[in-house]
C-alpha cells in the first residue's frame, strides 16, 4: 500500500510540474550545464541508429535531442502530464519515426511492449523516487542486448554543497540525504520520499553480469541547480568551477560526492 501511495504522489507531482518543466530549465544555467555534461557522456558511447529505452523521460527534452542525433528512443514515463507534453512535441516536430512513447512505471518494466535495447537511460534522479532501485536494475536483464549499456543519473547520499549548510545551522537540509528510510521531497506542493544511492551501491545492484564503464560526479564543485542565481552573480567563478569539475569528475571522491553522479554499466556479451 505504501508503494502504491508513493507512486501516486510522484506521478501527481510531476504531472502537475509538466506544464512548467521546460521553463524551469530554460531559466537555470546550472541545469543546462548539467544536461550538456550528461549528453556528452552518453554520446561518447552511443552510435546513430541504436535503440534507447529512456526511463522517466519527462517532457522529452533528452528524447528529442537523441532522436535528432540519429538515435531511436522508446520514451517512457508514468506521469500523465509528462506523457502528454512529450506526445505533443513528437507530433509537432514530426519525430514519430524516431520516438515511440509508452506510459509505464520503471517499477513495471516487465510490461513494456519492446525489448532488445542497445541502451537504457535515466536522467536527473528519477530513480531516486523509489526505494526499490535494485528491482528496477534487475529488470534490465531482459531488456538489454548482450554488450548493451545502462546510463543512470542518480543523487548520492553525500553532497558537499548541502553538507556545508550545517555551518549555517541548517542541519535539516545538510543531512537529509543520510536518512536510511528516505527524505521528504516536495514538487509543486506534493510531498513524497526520495532515496539516495552511492555509486558503489549501484554497482553492487548490477552484479556480475555487468562491468563498470564510467562514473562521473555532477555538481561536486559546481553548485547544485537550486542555487540558480550563482552563475549570474559570480559568472567568472562559475566558469572556473565548471572547468575544474570537468577535469576531476571521474576522480575520487568527486565522482561520488556530488549533487548527482553519472554511472554507465555494460552488460557482458
Amino acid at each position: 500500500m505504501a508503494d502504491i501511495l508513493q507512486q501516486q504522489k510522484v506521478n501527481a507531482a510531476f504531472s502537475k510540474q509538466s506544464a512548467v518543466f521546460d521553463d524551469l530549465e530554460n531559466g537555470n544555467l546550472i541545469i543546462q550545464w548539467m544536461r550538456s555534461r550528461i549528453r556528452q557522456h552518453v554520446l561518447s558511447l552511443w552510435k546513430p541508429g541504436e535503440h534507447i529505452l529512456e526511463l522517466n523521460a519527462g517532457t522529452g527534452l533528452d528524447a528529442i535531442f537523441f532522436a535528432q542525433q540519429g538515435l531511436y528512443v522508446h520514451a517512457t514515463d508514468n506521469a500523465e502530464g509528462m506523457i502528454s507534453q512529450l506526445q505533443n512535441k513528437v507530433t509537432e516536430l514530426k519525430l514519430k519515426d524516431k520516438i515511440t512513447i509508452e506510459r509505464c512505471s520503471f517499477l513495471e518494466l516487465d510490461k513494456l511492449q519492446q525489448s532488445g535495447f542497445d541502451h537504457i537511460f535515466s536522467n536527473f534522479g528519477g530513480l531516486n523516487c523509489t526505494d526499490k532501485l535494485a528491482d528496477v536494475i534487475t529488470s534490465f536483464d531482459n531488456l538489454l542486448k548482450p554488450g548493451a549499456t545502462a546510463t543512470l543519473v542518480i543523487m548520492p547520499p553525500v553532497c558537499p554543497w548541502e553538507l556545508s549548510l550545517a555551518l549555517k545551522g541548517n542541519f535539516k537540509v545538510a543531512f537529509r540525504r543520510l536518512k536510511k528510510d528516505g527524505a521528504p521531497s516536495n514538487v509543486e506542493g506534493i510531498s513524497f520520499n526520495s532515496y539516495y544511492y552511492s555509486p558503489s551501491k549501484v554497482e553492487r545492484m548490477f552484479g556480475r553480469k555487468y562491468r563498470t564503464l564510467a562514473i562521473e560526479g555532477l555538481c561536486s564543485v559546481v553548485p547544485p541547480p537550486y542555487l540558480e542565481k550563482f552563475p549570474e552573480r559570480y559568472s567568472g567563478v562559475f566558469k572556473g568551477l565548471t572547468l575544474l569539475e570537468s577535469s576531476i569528475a571521474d576522480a575520487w571522491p568527486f565522482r561520488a560526492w556530488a549533487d548527482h553522479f553519472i554511472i554507465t554499466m555494460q552488460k557482458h556479451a
Side-chain angles (χ1 to χ4, degrees), residues 17 24 30 33 54-55 69 78 87 95 98 105 107 114 125-126 132 168 171 173 188 207 223 236 242 244 251:
Q17 191 181 66
L24 292 174
I30 299 175
W33 173 81
E54 184 178 3
L55 312 180
Q69 306 305 307
N78 204 32
Q87 288 172 331
L95 287 172
K98 289 289 184 68
S105 166
L107 295 171
Q114 297 187 31
K132 292 180 170 51
K168 296 182 177 181
F171 299 107
V173 174
E188 301 296 330
T242 61
L244 173 61

Side-chain angles (χ1 to χ4, degrees), residues 11-167:
N11 296 342
F14 286 101
S15 280
K16 189 174 181 180
Q17 191 181 66
S18 63
V20 298
F21 187 86
D22 290 4
D23 291 335
L24 292 174
E25 172 151 340
N26 290 336
N28 193 315
L29 293 176
I30 299 175
I31 294 180
Q32 293 173 31
W33 173 81
M34 292 172 71
R35 197 179 292 275
S36 176
R37 273 270 314 277
I38 295 162
R39 289 173 176 176
Q40 289 173 14
H41 177 102
V42 294
L43 289 180
S44 70
L45 302 168
W46 300 352
K47 299 176 182 177
E50 291 182 329
H51 291 257
I52 304 159
L53 169 62
E54 184 178 3
L55 312 180
N56 49 273
T59 64
L61 291 173
D62 289 316
I64 290 167
F65 173 81
F66 294 140
Q68 291 171 339
Q69 306 305 307
L71 294 145
Y72 294 90
V73 185
H74 188 58
T76 66
D77 203 294
N78 204 32
E80 187 175 1
M82 292 292 190
I83 288 290
S84 178
Q85 293 284 338
L86 175 53
Q87 288 172 331
N88 291 338
K89 288 183 182 180
V90 169
T91 300
E92 181 180 342
L93 295 171
K94 300 180 180 179
L95 287 172
K96 289 184 177 181
D97 60 328
K98 289 289 184 68
I99 300 175
T100 52
I101 302 169
E102 184 174 354
R103 185 178 179 188
C104 180
S105 166
F106 48 63
L107 295 171
E108 299 178 319
L109 294 178
D110 58 317
K111 297 180 180 181
L112 278 180
Q113 298 172 9
Q114 297 187 31
S115 61
F117 294 99
D118 298 295
H119 309 283
I120 290 177
F121 177 68
S122 173
N123 207 354
F124 279 121
L127 293 176
N128 287 96
C129 295
T130 180
D131 62 348
K132 292 180 170 51
L133 181 58
D135 294 340
V136 178
I137 289 173
T138 298
S139 69
F140 292 175
D141 288 350
N142 295 326
L143 296 168
L144 288 172
K145 297 177 181 177
T149 67
T151 298
L152 313 179
V153 182
I154 292 176
M155 301 177 74
V158 178
C159 175
W161 281 87
E162 287 191 7
L163 289 175
S164 69
L165 294 175
L167 299 175

Side-chain angles (χ1 to χ4, degrees), residues 161-186:
W161 281 87
E162 287 191 7
L163 289 175
S164 69
L165 294 175
L167 299 175
K168 296 182 177 181
N170 192 347
F171 299 107
K172 183 177 181 180
V173 174
F175 301 115
R176 62 180 175 177
R177 298 190 184 205
L178 302 176
K179 295 182 178 180
K180 293 183 179 180
D181 298 326
S185 295
N186 190 291

